Amino acid sequence: MVEGSSTNRRWSVRLAAVAAVAATVCVVVASTVAPGVATAARSPSARARRGAAARTPVALQHTARHPAIASRGGPGAFPDRGNWGVGAPGAGVCNPLGGQQCMLPFPSDYYTIPDRSMPSGRRIDFPMAAMPANAGGVHIDPAAWNGNDGFSPGSTILVSVPNLDIASSRIVGSGAIAASLEPNSPIVLLDATTMTRLPYWAEPDVRDANPATRLLMIHPAANLPEGHHIIVALRNLVTTAGTAPPPPSTFATVSSGRTLPGTSGARVTRHLNGVLARLSRAGVPSNGLYLAWDFTVISTQSLTGRLLSMRNQAFSRLGSGVPPFTVTQVNNFTVAQNAQIARQVVGTFEVPSFLNRPGGPMGSTLNLGPNGLPQQLPGNEQTAVFACLIPRSVDANPAASGQKVVRGQPVLYGKGLFSTAQEMDISGVLASAYRYHLLQCSTNALGLDGNDVGYDAGLVQNFSNFATVPDRLQQAILDNLFLGRLMSSPAGLSESTSFRANGGKGPSLIDTARPLTYYGNSQGSLVGGAITAVSTQIRRAVLGVPSMNYSILLPRSVDFTSFYSILDSSYPSPSEQQLGFVLIQMLWDRGETDGYVEQLTSHPLPGTPSHQVLLQMAFGDHQVSNVTTEIEARTIGAVVHTPELVPGRTSGDPFFGLVAAPRSRPYSAPGSLFVWDDPQIDVPPAGDVPPTAGPDPHDVIPRSVPEAQHQLVHFLRTGVVLNVCGPRPCVTHLRLTG
């Protein structure tokens, strides 16, 4: 998720801070569409699916996933679930369905209570005593979680099945998702709101060497529909001994028709009987079941309401104007210094801060009002940093007079993990800016920028304070929106002499007549999807080496390897590590694409236009996992260039559910995916571990590929996707190192 050769050098220095934290961790006690252009949705070739039934995206159709049909009391509404779980009188803090960790299986509505003030009708109710404890015995403080009205739409479902034999149980991985919808599939993922089976893939936690404690991790193939009620069922499983695993005792009692003892037991019995009845209606009988339970997905309002409120408040005050800004530094480069970039302009701009500390330093969280929405402390402003690059193709020498000027198209650029606004020194990005006259500006991703690495390493010691990361990221998203206004308005940066030709006396170098667009790579794609989803100005975005959902990404990224030494000391149990990832994703959603992907393209958020998104993926990426890109593409209903890969590069069909894009002509679609490959790249390993063999394509492919550059610029300018690969997979032959 980091970028560029010089950026990688800075990244190495910053990782020293992580190592320093790790070295001190022994016992951790932490404190607090154009003419002649095809429309993919209407094109017969776009509807063609390879493998027919294996490609049928019945449960992935976005119109069937929109929150408007997720209302309580609809035709698929579950009978009154009541206060049957941990919040009921006399209930235990641990999930009675069992597992080697108190909260398993997870997520579970055992940890919700009825709340009619919440859009989903329920609210999270985690008791501190149930939350994982670090090596110092400090339990995670659940306060930040207990305001949610459900679980993450990108939740990895965790369940304990001791000594499970994955192969003998016929549990499918990411290359065989179609089989997850077969009538006798061993795992059933049921949307109980619509009574629709949902596709998934599953895997064991290979980081746990003990088969008796190793968790089974179930990943929805696309994000779960927000506000919906989900049932999970496991059946006909086989252990390594060749026998059926004994069901947890609580579930065995209820599924056999008996009632659990006591008042609390009676409540659990009634609820589980409702789950079993709903499964029976879906054609899943009780015989052979190992376990079944249910949970509620967070509503769109609960998930996105905070950031939308921040946006609406801030822009209401700004009106049609621009935020105040100051240019603090201008760097003019000679051709010998930089053959592609003539000038870098650095400055600051003012944004209303919704964080609870003046200026929003590390450790800040959102300042929530009585209505649960962010509010600005009187006079609290965020002084955000911006950096812009003026390529020589726009003005070869902005400091000199008499130069030919070709105004640059304004592009808001999203940068990599733990980098700062000034660090846009990625060769492929600079080359495309020069070749296509792109004037790119960036600001810091608060919470995950180059200043945060040491602080964030400390958060791994105790997840209680993790809310500061997504909260500051939401402020950073607002900062990006304000920077976009500065870039695109004739009264913004365009007025500054630093952005004018002929030594500041000539015409503006920013073509404000062109629409503002977004281009982000790596971390810039993880946050960029959220920026795009809430933007009223950006209509098109290219997400390079894209990803979302840190809970799936982190174990699969080489960038997180240095943090594992801290995590292993703080939370040594693999099951608690996985639970910790899924827990923090419930908060992280509000600051990254995973929390906004359902509204990213065709079904926008209130007061927001629709958007088009082009995903450019690098096969075998060491830093952002391909499986997260595939989940993102399925969730937005993207069309995909086929064939995706050269035969033999991957087993099965990891692109299940994606409609084939037209190959014979340009097309327009809400979402598109192109997979770029190089024969030098090793096939990524199976399991929740990062690729490490061979060169890493992350910094080079596809951003340094001329055809990919041409495609992204044409898309940003027109919304039309060019098939730059013809009838073949997108394969490059670049010089890679690794």
Side-chain angles (χ1 to χ4, degrees):
M1 289 178 281
V2 298
E3 299 181 329
S5 56
S6 59
T7 302
N8 280 334
R9 288 191 291 272
R10 289 187 288 267
W11 169 250
S12 298
V13 172
R14 287 166 184 155
L15 283 183
V18 180
V21 173
T24 65
V25 176
C26 295
V27 175
V28 182
V29 180
S31 60
T32 62
V33 186
V37 174
T39 302
R42 298 176 182 174
S43 166
S45 59
R47 292 182 179 273
R49 297 172 176 85
R50 296 178 298 106
R55 280 282 184 168
T56 303
V58 173
L60 297 173
Q61 293 176 359
H62 204 87
T63 52
R65 300 167 51 73
H66 192 254
I69 64 168
S71 60
R72 291 170 300 178
F78 195 71
D80 181 17
R81 286 177 275 162
N83 190 13
W84 68 276
V86 71
V93 299
C94 289
N95 193 328
L97 293 179
Q100 75 267 25
Q101 206 285 337
C102 176
M103 299 182 80
L104 296 180
F106 192 89
S108 169
D109 262 353
Y110 186 76
Y111 292 108
T112 65
I113 57 175
D115 189 335
R116 292 190 174 276
S117 71
M118 305 298 280
S120 75
R122 302 196 72 80
R123 179 169 55 80
I124 298 297
D125 187 31
F126 292 151
M128 184 177 289
M131 298 288 272
N134 64 17
V138 178
H139 289 268
I140 298 173
D141 186 338
W145 283 263
N146 286 347
N148 287 11
D149 71 352
F151 299 89
S152 170
S155 290
T156 294
I157 300 163
L158 305 176
V159 59
S160 173
V161 187
N163 302 303
L164 177 66
D165 189 321
I166 296 289
S168 298
S169 299
R170 301 183 299 106
I171 292 173
V172 299
S174 61
I177 295 172
S180 70
L181 296 175
E182 292 179 355
N184 295 322
S185 174
I187 300 171
V188 173
L189 195 58
L190 178 68
D191 183 341
T193 303
T194 62
M195 292 302 291
T196 305
R197 291 272 297 272
L198 301 176
Y200 65 85
W201 54 280
E203 61 182 349
D205 178 12
V206 298
R207 292 180 177 273
D208 188 348
N210 185 351
T213 60
R214 186 183 298 143
L215 293 184
L216 175 65
M217 304 186 298
I218 305 167
H219 306 285
N223 267 22
L224 298 168
E226 292 160 14
H228 284 217
H229 175 217
I230 306 299
I231 294 177
V232 188
L234 282 69
R235 57 183 176 174
N236 303 323
L237 302 181
V238 180
T239 69
T240 52
T243 58
S249 59
T250 296
F251 184 77
T253 297
V254 176
S255 62
S256 64
R258 294 172 290 165
T259 300
L260 296 167
T263 303
S264 178
R267 288 192 297 262
V268 172
T269 300
R270 284 194 298 270
H271 183 78
L272 288 180
N273 280 333
V275 170
L276 294 174
R278 184 52 56 97
L279 284 171
S280 180
R281 275 188 54 191
V284 181
S286 297
N287 56 297
L289 283 178
Y290 170 78
L291 187 61
W293 75 98
D294 64 326
F295 63 92
T296 301
V297 184
I298 189 172
S299 70
T300 301
Q301 298 95 315
S302 180
L303 188 56
T304 65
R306 294 180 183 181
L307 183 53
L308 286 182
S309 177
M310 293 165 62
R311 180 198 71 181
N312 294 343
Q313 292 180 62
F315 277 92
S316 176
R317 295 169 194 165
L318 186 63
S320 60
V322 297
F325 72 96
T326 303
V327 172
T328 59
Q329 185 178 355
V330 176
N331 300 312
N332 293 312
F333 304 117
T334 66
V335 175
Q337 290 173 318
N338 195 317
Q340 296 168 323
I341 302 300
R343 170 178 287 182
Q344 180 195 55
V345 182
V346 181
T348 60
F349 60 105
E350 299 302 313
V351 186
S353 176
F354 292 88
L355 296 169
N356 65 351
R357 299 182 190 176
M362 287 177 281
S364 302
T365 57
L366 288 175
N367 182 52
L368 300 179
N371 62 355
L373 296 176
Q375 61 182 18
Q376 187 181 9
L377 292 173
N380 192 15
E381 295 286 320
Q382 191 78 31
T383 300
V385 176
F386 73 83
C388 301
L389 298 181
I390 301 173
R392 294 193 184 281
S393 57
V394 170
D395 191 346
N397 186 357
S401 60
Q403 299 292 310
K404 180 183 178 181
V405 174
V406 179
R407 291 185 176 184
Q409 177 181 353
V411 178
L412 185 61
Y413 183 71
K415 298 186 48 50
L417 179 67
F418 293 142
S419 60
T420 60
Q422 294 93 320
E423 298 170 14
M424 283 192 283
D425 51 354
I426 308 96
S427 59
V429 174
L430 302 185
S432 59
Y434 173 73
R435 183 175 292 122
Y436 296 102
H437 316 103
L438 307 180
L439 199 153
Q440 299 178 130
C441 298
S442 180
T443 188
N444 291 338
L446 300 178
L448 292 173
D449 71 27
N451 303 306
D452 292 313
V453 60
Y455 184 86
D456 290 352
L459 293 177
V460 179
Q461 300 175 54
N462 182 355
F463 288 143
S464 294
N465 300 320
F466 189 81
T468 183
V469 173
D471 282 8
R472 294 183 76 224
L473 279 172
Q474 288 171 87
Q475 178 66 46
I477 293 170
L478 180 61
D479 295 352
N480 273 272
L481 300 182
F482 264 49
L483 178 56
R485 172 68 68 87
L486 272 175
M487 295 174 66
S488 59
S489 172
L493 298 180
S494 184
E495 282 288 289
S496 170
T497 57
S498 301
F499 290 90
R500 289 186 170 271
N502 300 334
K505 300 176 182 178
S508 171
L509 301 175
I510 306 176
D511 188 352
T512 56
R514 286 184 178 269
L516 178 72
T517 57
Y518 183 88
Y519 175 38
N521 284 289
S522 193
Q523 172 67 32
S525 74
L526 277 128
V527 179
I531 294 170
T532 302
V534 300
S535 176
T536 60
Q537 189 172 8
I538 296 167
R539 300 298 300 275
R540 294 188 286 271
V542 174
L543 305 181
V545 285
S547 183
M548 67 177 198
N549 196 331
Y550 286 92
S551 66
I552 300 177
L553 169 63
L554 291 181
R556 293 169 164 81
S557 174
V558 293
D559 294 337
F560 194 69
T561 302
S562 297
F563 289 84
Y564 256 109
S565 57
I566 306 173
L567 186 64
D568 288 340
S569 298
S570 304
Y571 297 96
S573 164
S575 63
E576 292 206 337
Q577 290 179 6
Q578 291 296 344
L579 179 58
F581 288 147
V582 181
L583 283 168
I584 63 175
Q585 189 61 46
M586 293 175 64
L587 306 181
W588 219 333
D589 278 342
R590 292 192 174 99
E592 62 116 324
T593 299
D594 194 66
Y596 303 84
V597 66
E598 186 169 293
Q599 296 81 32
L600 179 53
T601 54
S602 301
H603 301 288
L605 290 162
T608 312
S610 60
H611 307 92
Q612 289 179 274
V613 175
L614 171 62
L615 307 176
Q616 293 185 325
M617 169 179 137
F619 178 70
D621 197 313
H622 290 199
Q623 298 180 50
V624 296
S625 173
N626 292 162
V627 297
T628 60
T629 310
E630 293 152 12
I631 294 171
E632 180 175 3
R634 279 188 285 266
T635 305
I636 66 173
V639 297
V640 62
H641 171 73
T642 58
E644 299 92 343
L645 294 165
V646 173
R649 288 291 275 166
T650 185
S651 60
D653 181 15
F655 303 101
F656 164 84
L658 299 180
V659 177
R663 291 192 299 191
S664 60
R665 61 197 182 282
Y667 66 90
S668 178
S672 303
L673 170 64
F674 273 70
V675 181
W676 292 84
D677 192 13
D678 191 292
Q680 303 167 77
I681 302 169
D682 282 38
V683 174
D688 55 326
V689 292
T692 55
D696 181 5
H698 184 80
D699 291 332
V700 181
I701 298 173
R703 66 187 97 176
S704 292
V705 180
E707 294 84 354
Q709 294 173 359
H710 178 56
Q711 181 188 60
L712 79 88
V713 173
H714 188 83
F715 173 78
L716 289 178
R717 289 177 176 168
T718 68
V720 174
V721 179
L722 300 177
N723 177 9
V724 294
C725 303
R728 298 174 298 278
C730 298
V731 178
T732 72
H733 297 275
L734 300 179
R735 179 175 295 179
L736 302 176
T737 59

